[in-house]
Amino acid sequence: MLSKEPTVSEISNIWSSYLKNSMEQQFFTYFFQTAEDRKIKKIAGRLLHQSEKNLKQLQDFFSKVNLSVPRGFTEKDVRLNGQKLFSDHFILFFCHDITQLSLSTYPSALSESTRKDIRDYFEITLKFTLKIQNEIVDLMLSKGIYQEHPQLKMEDRIEFARSLKYLNGFMGGSRPLNAPEIANISRIIHRAQFSKMIFVTFSTIAESNEMKDHFSKGRDLTEKVLSSLRDIMKNEQIPLSSSGDYQIFDVDIPPFSEKIMLFFVNTCLGIFCFTMISQALTSSLRSDIVIKLLSISKDMSLFYGKGLLIAIKQKWLEQPPQAAGRRV
């Protein structure tokens, strides 16, 4: 029995997965070449092998349904000159971040698919990602670099909010943060710490003034986010784990193209930014936190919107598949 024609959702998810895996292949190739720690190098190698395997399956799918294979990213987007840009620990954080993106996108892609070959693809890739993500976390814990959330003693009783004061966050009348609010804020802070160092790294190695300026603005904006949210935790006397080991080294030649760096920022950093803020907004009840998060979301929307404009201007933005006869 022949498979049915794919839905627009299935095509969209497969297309996005191809771009993502082609990007990952270039990063993992570089990480595998430059990692010195045996265990971290093994992680990078397995991720590289899986991305290559995924790309082959995706190419076969596009051929089956008579759609052009996306251009994505190629070996032209990475320079394998042997120079080490990231410390091994930073490489491990990078791998952890990319697998988190898979864990946030593959479940919805699987749930939206009805074609068996597509469901099989996302199920297999999700199982692999879950397994290697656990191994990455275990390795980070063993090296003492995993950024854990705060550990606080919780009250062992059930209570209901007695008045609208529970929502107040201003003028000294704010209640203590609850567990979901602490978890969401610490999650955003940890994410912002990693994002800031990506912006620092990319602004350092970018070759054009336009990209240097854009990544520098991302760094400054992320520092503003960190300052704003750290103040909340400081006022509540809630301890935060220190920043990760995000060490970078000087290189003579930038290892990554500006195209792939901007794509990583626009997708990996951008998707997580809005996903985490949305999650925090839906579970935060104090008015001061909600207002801070809305302000962060507005600033980030402007920044990532500028990133898309740059991608279009540079002819780097590959258009997703479009319905026949409806071209712009």
Side-chain angles (χ1 to χ4, degrees):
M1 180 179 174
L2 293 175
S3 297
K4 69 176 187 65
E5 288 297 309
T7 65
V8 290
S9 178
E10 290 168 335
I11 291 174
S12 173
N13 288 326
I14 289 294
W15 183 86
S16 297
S17 184
Y18 187 92
L19 290 186
K20 173 179 169 294
N21 276 276
S22 69
M23 173 200 70
E24 291 172 358
Q25 182 184 34
Q26 308 315 316
F27 279 118
F28 294 147
T29 299
Y30 179 76
F31 295 158
F32 181 71
Q33 185 196 68
T34 58
E36 299 172 49
D37 182 285
R38 179 179 59 83
K39 292 182 179 179
I40 296 175
K41 192 180 189 73
K42 183 178 179 181
I43 290 286
R46 288 172 59 198
L47 287 166
L48 172 60
H49 174 74
Q50 186 65 34
S51 66
E52 292 171 339
K53 182 179 175 182
N54 290 348
L55 286 172
K56 178 65 170 64
Q57 288 181 271
L58 293 169
Q59 287 166 356
D60 290 345
F61 171 78
F62 281 108
S63 177
K64 281 182 190 176
V65 297
N66 297 315
L67 284 174
S68 299
V69 176
R71 183 170 299 177
F73 299 91
T74 68
E75 64 276 1
K76 293 180 181 179
D77 292 296
V78 62
R79 300 182 181 98
L80 301 176
N81 52 24
Q83 288 190 308
K84 188 178 180 69
L85 175 63
F86 301 108
S87 68
D88 282 1
H89 286 175
F90 199 167
I91 288 175
L92 193 57
F93 274 104
F94 215 117
C95 292
H96 177 262
D97 193 78
I98 289 178
T99 55
Q100 279 190 310
L101 178 62
S102 299
L103 291 178
S104 71
T105 55
Y106 285 170
S108 60
L110 175 59
S111 68
E112 293 171 354
S113 300
T114 52
R115 269 182 66 126
K116 189 175 186 312
D117 54 350
I118 298 179
R119 282 186 284 123
D120 288 346
Y121 167 78
F122 282 114
E123 181 181 1
I124 291 169
T125 52
L126 186 55
K127 284 180 179 178
F128 167 82
T129 306
L130 284 167
K131 186 175 187 300
I132 201 160
Q133 173 77 334
N134 278 328
E135 293 178 20
I136 290 172
V137 170
D138 286 342
L139 185 54
M140 294 172 84
L141 287 169
S142 71
K143 292 180 176 296
I145 61 172
Y146 186 80
Q147 293 180 286
E148 296 198 60
H149 290 276
Q151 290 182 314
L152 300 171
K153 183 175 176 59
M154 295 286 114
E155 291 187 353
D156 185 22
R157 60 182 178 182
I158 296 173
E159 281 195 81
F160 292 88
R162 297 182 180 181
S163 74
L164 294 178
K165 289 182 179 179
Y166 190 80
L167 307 179
N168 186 32
F170 295 103
M171 301 176 65
S174 58
R175 57 161 172 79
L177 294 173
N178 59 36
E181 290 164 343
I182 295 171
N184 284 319
I185 292 173
S186 61
R187 186 182 298 117
I188 294 173
I189 288 174
H190 289 162
R191 176 67 187 172
Q193 289 171 341
F194 174 78
S195 298
K196 179 184 173 182
M197 281 310 301
I198 291 295
F199 285 127
V200 168
T201 305
F202 287 177
S203 65
T204 301
I205 64 175
E207 297 180 279
S208 69
N209 290 333
E210 181 180 41
M211 294 309 300
K212 282 183 178 292
D213 180 64
H214 183 64
F215 293 140
S216 294
K217 287 179 179 176
R219 174 203 62 206
D220 296 341
L221 182 57
T222 307
E223 179 55 43
K224 180 181 174 183
V225 172
L226 284 168
S227 177
S228 176
L229 297 181
R230 280 172 178 158
D231 283 346
I232 295 176
M233 303 293 262
K234 183 179 179 181
N235 292 337
E236 299 280 336
Q237 298 183 337
I238 296 173
L240 284 170
S241 61
S242 59
S243 300
D245 181 6
Y246 301 135
Q247 187 179 3
I248 60 173
F249 306 109
D250 293 330
V251 293
D252 298 323
I253 302 173
F256 309 119
S257 70
E258 292 183 336
K259 175 186 174 184
I260 199 170
M261 289 192 289
L262 185 61
F263 182 83
F264 180 82
V265 165
N266 285 347
T267 54
C268 293
L269 300 191
I271 286 174
F272 272 126
C273 166
F274 294 113
T275 298
M276 287 186 175
I277 291 174
S278 295
Q279 289 173 343
L281 279 170
T282 57
S283 58
S284 296
L285 299 174
R286 261 179 45 176
S287 53
D288 58 330
I289 298 175
V290 172
I291 288 174
K292 280 180 181 286
L293 292 172
L294 289 172
S295 177
I296 290 170
S297 181
K298 179 182 176 182
D299 291 342
M300 290 297 182
S301 294
L302 292 173
F303 173 76
Y304 286 110
K306 178 65 182 301
L308 290 175
L309 292 177
I310 293 174
I312 292 172
K313 174 186 171 185
Q314 297 293 341
K315 296 182 171 55
W316 292 339
L317 185 66
E318 192 167 350
Q319 294 185 56
Q322 189 159 336
R326 303 188 185 187
R327 304 189 69 82
V328 176

